[in-house]
Amino acid sequence: MAAELVEAMNMVKSFRVSDLQTLLASMGRSKSGLKQDLVGRALRLVQTEYSPELLKNVRQLYESRFPKSAAWLPARRPEGVPVAYSSLSSSPSLTSQGTDYLNGISKPLHTPATEVRLVPLPFYQTLETLLPPTELVAHNSEKLQDSHCVFELTPSQADQVRNASELRAGIRSVQVVLRICYSDPIGVQEDQYPPNIAVKVNQSYCHVPGYYPSNKPGVEPRRPCRPINITPWLHLSSVPNRVTITWGNFGKRYSVAVYLVRVFTAADLFNRLKLCSVESAERCRERIQDKLRFDPESEIATTGLRVSLICPLVKMRLGVPCRVLTCAHLQCFDAVFFLQMNEKKPTWTCPVCDKPAPFELLTIDGLLSEILKETSEDIEEIEYLTDGSWRPIRDEKEKDRDRERERSNTPEYPVVDICIPEANGHSPAHSSTSLSGRSGSGSVGTSAAAGPPAAAPGGGVVVDLTLDSSSEEEGGGAGGDSDDTDDSTDSPAPKRGRYNYDKDLVTAY
């Protein structure tokens, strides 16, 4: 066993990055990081979890990288597959040997196609397999290769396609699709196009999804690899259909398969989600209580968890709160928008934590659904408490608004005429100057119209400097014969302002 362990570790050290990622993914380990990190992770995996299954995976990866000879993996036709489906080769001979473009090592024409498994897709339900996964074979060293396959539809299959309902104009709910992936027998494979791909069905080129432009500078545009719909170019009869695939031969191995599928829309998946995957409010409360349960070993005690009622995808209020069962957070996203976005651009990634969010693990939060019905539109955030209850965060925001209003609003005091003599026991003019002679004429009339003086809080009087001075000027003229005018010849008259008071300190109490 020690010798096998040393052998497995030596094999791992010779792996490429893609081989290391495949090995780690097959054993449920993270496959992100630099090559040295992947090598160390794989070596620790071999040392700590050594098993016959792990050794088999390591040997398969090593032998696919360094095959012993051309006879190591004999070319054979998958069991139960017609002769026309055995391989996709542009060469008439199926027994000649090809050459690996990168390292020149001789290799067989194709691997056992039945070992390649494609990942199931939520928007596609496989009805029948028309062509099982079969490897694309290069017959020469040219960069651009052509591979062909021929298949025909049975009468029942043609009727299914012909009688299927239309999802939209020209798109039927039952389709014949072409899927391409890496020729890797370990694990399930996602759709992956080879470089320079072009698909021709019955001498007509069919549409292949193009590249998505990138808004980030320096980032290359990505191409969404998804099933290619070849239904519009097929013969829906007993006439054979010929498919030609043009692809770039740059050292990687690809397999192609053809399926009869039923296509679902985002609305179909949403109805299935509502029917089969709704977490009850009681279970959600238990989950909250588990997260907020006191941990004596922790130095920080959590008394509440805040959850936003705004969807992180579209920045709008949640309609149907949804999250992933494997995610640790309680924050939800809108199920309808999430499914619609993955229908156009399938990523199946949680918008909150960026972890994988497959459709099978999605669930509707029953407690948050009830909260959304009970709260008004202006509440954007809530807080879960330790007992599983919740409270809106609106109260604190309203308190902050009230404080701002109190700071911005100025107090309203009654208006008092400064020309009223002896207001609150003091003269409004300077102590050295008396205006008592003037108060008997114009000032009295003005004060009668203005009303009695009012005291402001704290014993002071509010002074209004905006009164019209026309009436006081007339009153001053009528009282010009008084005794005060006799003294004006001896001493200069005090400076008076626009509103008939001394241009000096005006005291207001």
Side-chain angles (χ1 to χ4, degrees), residues 133-392:
T134 308
E135 187 173 351
L136 296 174
V137 179
H139 66 283
N140 53 37
S141 60
E142 295 293 331
K143 298 284 186 68
L144 214 57
Q145 300 286 329
D146 285 338
S147 299
H148 310 278
C149 69
V150 179
F151 67 93
E152 62 183 54
L153 300 175
T154 63
S156 62
Q157 294 169 350
D159 290 339
Q160 288 186 69
V161 176
R162 193 180 296 110
N163 300 329
S165 59
E166 286 193 352
L167 300 177
R168 51 186 180 273
I171 305 298
R172 298 181 180 272
S173 59
V174 177
Q175 302 174 0
V176 177
V177 297
L178 184 76
R179 298 185 65 180
I180 304 176
C181 66
Y182 287 132
S183 297
D184 192 346
I186 301 176
V188 292
Q189 303 301 315
E190 297 181 351
D191 292 70
Q192 185 65 47
Y193 296 158
N196 309 111
I197 182 176
V199 179
K200 186 187 295 185
V201 181
N202 295 325
Q203 304 304 317
S204 298
Y205 283 100
C206 68
H207 173 71
V208 178
Y211 288 90
Y212 283 138
S214 177
N215 297 327
K216 299 180 180 179
V219 177
E220 296 183 359
R222 295 178 63 252
R223 173 176 241 164
C225 297
R226 61 176 64 189
I228 303 172
N229 180 20
I230 63 175
T231 311
W233 298 273
L234 293 179
H235 300 303
L236 299 180
S237 61
S238 57
V239 179
N241 295 281
R242 183 180 180 86
V243 179
T244 302
I245 302 171
T246 303
W247 55 285
N249 179 24
F250 293 96
K252 290 188 177 293
R253 299 158 52 193
Y254 297 89
S255 292
V256 64
V258 180
Y259 299 99
L260 180 68
V261 300
R262 183 178 302 278
V263 182
F264 298 113
T265 62
D268 297 330
L269 293 189
F270 176 65
N271 293 331
R272 192 194 306 177
L273 189 66
K274 290 194 301 183
L275 184 63
C276 304
S277 184
V278 178
E279 191 171 19
S280 64
E282 291 76 13
R283 179 69 187 91
C284 294
R285 289 191 184 92
E286 293 176 1
R287 185 189 297 271
I288 296 169
Q289 292 173 356
D290 291 341
K291 285 185 174 294
L292 296 177
R293 184 174 289 115
F294 176 71
D295 186 3
E297 298 181 357
S298 177
E299 298 180 357
I300 301 175
T302 306
T303 59
L305 288 172
R306 291 194 175 188
V307 173
S308 175
L309 302 184
I310 303 300
C311 175
L313 287 172
V314 291
K315 308 304 179 185
M316 296 171 57
R317 185 177 171 89
L318 290 169
V320 182
C322 178
R323 53 184 171 77
V324 188
L325 289 174
T326 55
C327 290
H329 54 80
L330 297 175
Q331 179 62 51
C332 293
F333 48 87
D334 193 273
V336 176
F337 289 114
F338 182 74
L339 293 175
Q340 289 176 352
M341 293 177 68
N342 279 279
E343 183 180 18
K344 295 180 179 179
K345 184 180 178 181
T347 58
W348 298 105
T349 303
C350 176
V352 180
C353 62
D354 291 332
K355 292 183 178 180
F359 176 75
E360 295 77 14
L361 296 179
L362 296 181
T363 183
I364 296 176
D365 193 311
L367 177 59
L368 199 56
S369 299
E370 295 180 358
I371 294 174
L372 289 168
K373 294 177 182 177
E374 297 175 7
T375 54
S376 57
E377 294 288 337
D378 59 335
I379 297 179
E380 298 182 353
E381 192 176 16
I382 63 166
E383 182 179 11
Y384 288 128
L385 304 178
T386 54
D387 58 351
S389 61
W390 60 277
R391 68 179 185 90

Side-chain angles (χ1 to χ4, degrees), residues 120-131:
L121 300 177
F123 289 100
Y124 297 87
Q125 177 189 3
T126 302
L127 302 178
E128 294 186 47
T129 301
L130 305 180
L131 176 68

Side-chain angles (χ1 to χ4, degrees), residues 36-47:
Q36 56 208 28
D37 300 331
L38 298 177
V39 172
R41 201 176 302 154
L43 291 176
R44 287 192 298 270
L45 176 66
V46 172
Q47 292 175 349

Side-chain angles (χ1 to χ4, degrees), residues 85-98:
Y85 302 163
S86 58
S87 66
L88 299 181
S89 174
S90 54
S91 171
S93 174
L94 298 179
T95 57
S96 61
Q97 298 177 359

